[in-house]
Amino acid sequence: ELSSGKVAVFLAPEGKLAWQQLADGVAVYANGGSRLFPESVLELLPDLCGQWQLERPSVAAALGDPACLDLLHYLLETGCIYVE
């Protein structure tokens, strides 16, 4: 369960994920869809894409930011990430 913070998050090998910083936030493109998020999500995206995962401490920290939690749920719903 993502909300427990006791999981690691992994980028799905078949997932397509990109982002673009805009004047009013960050556009996140996930498996053909897109959504605008606040700039605070920029803390997660480079780690997730660069390392293909977020370790448990990073996931737990993200849960404290509603925008980051929303991003993780969005990526989970679109199939870009999975949790273990």
Side-chain angles (χ1 to χ4, degrees):
E1 175 71 24
L2 183 59
S3 61
S4 73
K6 296 179 181 176
V7 296
V9 171
F10 298 89
L11 192 60
E14 68 280 359
K16 307 264 190 283
L17 176 60
W19 72 92
Q20 180 179 13
Q21 190 168 3
L22 305 171
D24 57 345
V26 179
V28 176
Y29 306 95
N31 284 340
S34 66
R35 193 161 152 205
L36 188 64
F37 290 90
E39 285 189 13
S40 64
V41 301
L42 285 175
E43 296 177 22
L44 292 182
L45 290 166
D47 287 343
L48 179 59
C49 290
Q51 301 173 16
W52 285 63
Q53 67 181 27
L54 294 174
E55 298 289 340
R56 287 178 174 85
S58 296
V59 174
L63 297 180
D65 180 340
C68 290
L69 179 58
D70 194 27
L71 171 66
L72 291 176
H73 280 294
Y74 173 68
L75 296 177
L76 193 58
E77 290 169 8
T78 59
C80 274
I81 63 171
Y82 62 96
V83 296
E84 286 187 357

